[in-house]
């Protein structure tokens, strides 16, 4: 299973691509950021994110797109701006028939560190450890995207265990 | 000049297309809504809006896309959801090199009714009057989109008068 984790934003969209094999081994295939610049118009920034997403999906042919559900307590202008970026990310998924799943920040923290109360440095260190990387992936948005991908991998594993348990109970 | 006004939303995206000729006459070319359904996934709803936008742009080859700047005081979930729809609307504009301009709700009211304090029924009545329509355009989102297009037409007219005034001052 190949998972594409995305941490969307107008200026910086982090991505992380991981593969888990049948033995549960995780391999990092790719991580980084899609950058856009304030000198560009808003539509052109969105087009860059969309084009970058299409390239990533075509390169890695992931089985699933995972993102983090965002919460904004103060600034609805930021919410609209991040919402726009999410819009074109989800559109790229739809255009490739890629299933999409969303996790809360709490679920991502829990999956990566075992606790919903983890701080960012703990998260990043655990991402590096779980993926066998020699150092913390940079920039932060790429590490966040990898954390989201790890969260989905854990969640998918739990779901498949449940399916197996159901089958063995039935059998 | 052909103007495409859009009032975006995940469920209902209103559109209005108007043309103004050199004598300032306005003609309505098209209005209506792009509908998506709650039974669809979020990415598929966005893909429907995007595909609908592309069809509208290819059919009417507008010179400009106008939208309304949205303000949310309470609900950031709605802001993200509307933000997503705006994202794919702006992407369609970028993919057709269509310039985009945004107006505040106050500017739209002012342009259509002459006062920023107008209520919705007044707005809708004025939209019908200004466009020479026998009745108020339905549904509401289509009337709102036409109002945004009218606002841009007025604003573009004022800008071109200013340009003329500047030229005659220089001359």
């Amino acid at each position: 299973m190949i998972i594409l984790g995305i941490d969307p934003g107008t200026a910086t969209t982090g991505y992380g691509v991981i593969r888990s094999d049948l033995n549960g081994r995780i391999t990092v295939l790719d991580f980084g950021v899609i950058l856009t610049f304030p000198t560009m118009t808003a539509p052109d920034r969105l087009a860059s994110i969309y084009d970058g997403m299409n390239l990533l999906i075509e390169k890695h042919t992931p089985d699933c797109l995972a993102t983090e559900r965002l919460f904004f307590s103060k600034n609805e202008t930021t919410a609209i701006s991040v919402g726009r970026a999410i819009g074109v990310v989800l559109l790229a998924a739809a255009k490739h028939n890629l299933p999409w799943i969303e996790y809360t920040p709490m679920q991502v923290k829990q999956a990566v560190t075992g606790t919903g109360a983890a701080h960012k440095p703990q998260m990043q260190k655990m991402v590096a450890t779980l993926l066998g990387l020699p150092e913390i992936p940079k920039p932060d948005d790429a590490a966040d995207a990898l954390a989201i991908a790890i969260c989905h991998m854990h969640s998918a594993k739990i779901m498949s265990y449940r399916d197996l348990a159901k089958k063995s109970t039935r059998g």
Side-chain angles (χ1 to χ4, degrees), chain A:
Chain A
M1 182 169 63
I2 297 174
I3 303 159
L4 171 60
I6 291 285
D7 183 27
T10 305
T12 314
T13 291
Y15 63 85
V17 189
I18 63 175
R19 182 175 54 203
S20 72
D21 63 20
L22 290 173
N23 304 317
R25 256 193 311 254
I26 317 176
T27 321
V28 182
L29 299 183
D30 201 358
F31 66 86
V33 287
I34 303 168
L35 289 178
T36 75
F37 303 96
T39 48
M40 298 165 77
T41 64
D44 284 345
R45 296 179 92 161
L46 293 167
S48 285
I49 298 168
Y50 183 65
D51 294 344
M53 279 296 300
N54 285 331
L55 284 175
L56 279 172
I57 294 171
E58 281 149 29
K59 186 174 171 194
H60 297 293
T61 58
D63 299 291
C64 180
L65 166 71
T67 63
E68 197 173 68
R69 186 172 302 158
L70 296 160
F71 297 95
F72 296 90
S73 51
K74 288 172 202 163
N75 194 330
E76 81 271 6
T77 310
T78 310
I80 292 178
S81 161
V82 176
R84 284 183 195 165
I86 300 173
V88 300
V89 164
L90 299 191
L91 178 67
K95 291 292 180 190
H96 289 86
N97 291 314
L98 189 60
W100 164 63
I101 193 154
E102 199 181 35
Y103 294 96
T104 64
M106 183 72 95
Q107 286 173 310
V108 176
K109 280 183 186 176
Q110 183 79 39
V112 173
T113 65
T115 162
H119 294 293
K120 214 170 179 78
Q122 283 172 273
M123 282 277 286
Q124 295 177 335
K125 218 173 157 185
M126 274 307 288
V127 165
T129 306
L130 289 168
L131 299 178
L133 297 171
E135 50 192 34
I136 288 169
K138 289 276 162 205
D140 282 3
D141 299 277
D144 292 345
L146 285 168
I148 296 163
I150 292 169
C151 174
H152 178 62
M153 203 208 57
H154 279 233
S155 156
K157 213 182 274 175
I158 291 163
M159 281 188 283
S160 65
Y161 286 152
R162 273 192 204 141
D163 285 349
L164 278 175
K166 266 187 209 161
K167 273 179 202 157
S168 68
T169 315
R170 274 189 221 126

